[in-house]
Amino acid sequence: MRRLAVLGFPVSFSRSPAIHNAAFAALGMDGEWSYEAIEVSPDQFERRVRAMPGEGFVGANVTVPHKGAALLVSDRRSGVAREIGAANTLTFQEGETRADNTDAQGLMESLPGSAGGRRALVLGAGGAARAVVWALTREGAEVSVWNRTPKRAEQLCAELGGKVDPKPAAGKYDLIVNSTSVGLRGEDPFDELPLSSDWFGFSQTVVDLVYGERESKLLNVASEAGAQVVDGLEVLVHQGAASFRIWTGVEPPLEAMREAARRA
């Protein structure tokens, strides 16, 4: 059995096991491949990754808060992962650990239309935000970044492009991406983020990378105001599909993965 996993802290919210195991079942690969969730604290992350090849693992996805550490623990890094400075996909092969980043690809494949020329606000400055800023700037968007700790936003923009907006205002942006963890534990985004319910309209696209047991209040409010919305599950499916291709060399069944994500 070729084993795969998602590593996070916490990780119980992840729907990656459901998505990948559904893909294996749809393709008749479930007798040879499996995918599970493993919770690992930051202080144990490197040790856990080092042990995985000996336990039959051929790869892993990495979620919060380990995406920076995943890059550091790797022996080889894809150009995209190296430029972004974070990895969400590890492959164990021939005694080496390879790091890739499929978050950027997952986002761009989920957006309705091109981001080129759009004014984009990225909320957050962690590993997910780095992939978002990297992808949007290369697509030709005009990117601004807000983070609760402004210095982290300044560092991100200095490395990847964009500019810091310490006090975002309504009417400035037609693409908004929440890449923070706000909402993961049920937090109200309008209490925690520099947004209000009157920000949204028909000309906007709003993306919330967070998904969990609850519906996204941010996306519900934006959708009611007429904005196009993209939820974290859609992005997860596309980034998961890219990881699936890396590990297996097989084209993944997107619809089966999408259905599993919604059911889980």
Side-chain angles (χ1 to χ4, degrees):
M1 182 68 71
R2 298 177 183 179
R3 301 175 69 187
L4 297 164
V6 56
L7 307 175
F9 190 74
V11 79
S12 58
F13 69 91
S14 178
R15 302 193 191 183
S16 290
I19 290 172
H20 286 277
N21 286 322
F24 293 139
L27 295 173
M29 299 168 63
D30 48 332
E32 300 177 2
W33 293 79
S34 68
Y35 192 111
E36 61 198 84
I38 299 175
E39 184 163 302
V40 55
S41 61
D43 63 314
Q44 294 295 315
F45 178 77
E46 181 174 357
R47 180 182 299 177
R48 188 72 191 89
V49 170
R50 299 291 187 198
M52 292 179 79
E55 299 171 354
F57 286 93
V58 298
N61 280 133
V62 179
T63 188
V64 291
H66 302 312
K67 294 184 179 183
L71 191 72
L72 296 176
V73 78
S74 62
D75 303 300
R76 291 190 298 135
R77 303 158 186 176
S78 70
V80 173
R82 188 167 53 249
E83 289 182 21
I84 291 173
N88 77 318
T89 303
L90 298 176
T91 304
F92 310 125
Q93 192 173 37
E94 298 178 351
E96 289 187 327
T97 299
R98 174 184 169 87
D100 290 281
N101 191 304
T102 67
D103 283 335
Q105 180 178 347
L107 171 69
M108 301 314 298
E109 290 179 352
S110 302
L111 289 179
S114 172
R118 305 187 75 178
R119 297 167 300 164
L121 173 65
V122 178
L123 302 167
R130 295 183 68 87
V132 172
V133 172
W134 182 89
L136 292 179
T137 54
R138 277 149 187 77
E139 188 77 5
E142 181 184 324
V143 179
S144 297
V145 180
W146 172 90
N147 191 61
R148 191 185 304 276
T149 305
K151 285 188 177 180
R152 292 193 67 193
E154 291 169 2
Q155 180 179 357
L156 187 158
C157 292
E159 294 175 2
L160 297 177
K163 60 183 180 181
V164 177
D165 188 344
K167 294 183 178 180
K172 289 179 63 176
Y173 299 105
D174 46 30
L175 172 60
I176 299 171
V177 182
N178 175 33
S179 65
T180 74
S181 61
V182 171
L184 182 60
R185 298 173 179 84
E187 304 95 335
D188 188 327
F190 299 107
D191 290 339
E192 304 290 335
L193 301 174
L195 305 173
S196 61
S197 58
D198 60 356
W199 267 49
F200 311 110
F202 289 96
S203 63
Q204 287 179 313
T205 300
V206 181
V207 183
D208 191 353
L209 298 185
V210 173
Y211 67 89
E213 295 180 359
R214 303 172 180 84
E215 290 186 352
S216 167
K217 181 176 180 179
L218 172 61
L219 295 189
N220 285 341
V221 171
S223 180
E224 289 174 0
Q228 289 183 296
V229 298
V230 177
D231 67 12
L233 289 180
E234 187 64 19
V235 179
L236 178 69
V237 166
H238 283 283
Q239 66 89 358
S243 296
F244 189 95
R245 294 185 192 100
I246 290 171
W247 294 320
T248 69
V250 175
E251 188 62 26
L254 280 178
E255 194 53 42
M257 297 172 80
R258 188 175 287 117
E259 290 178 4
R262 304 294 174 195
R263 289 196 311 265

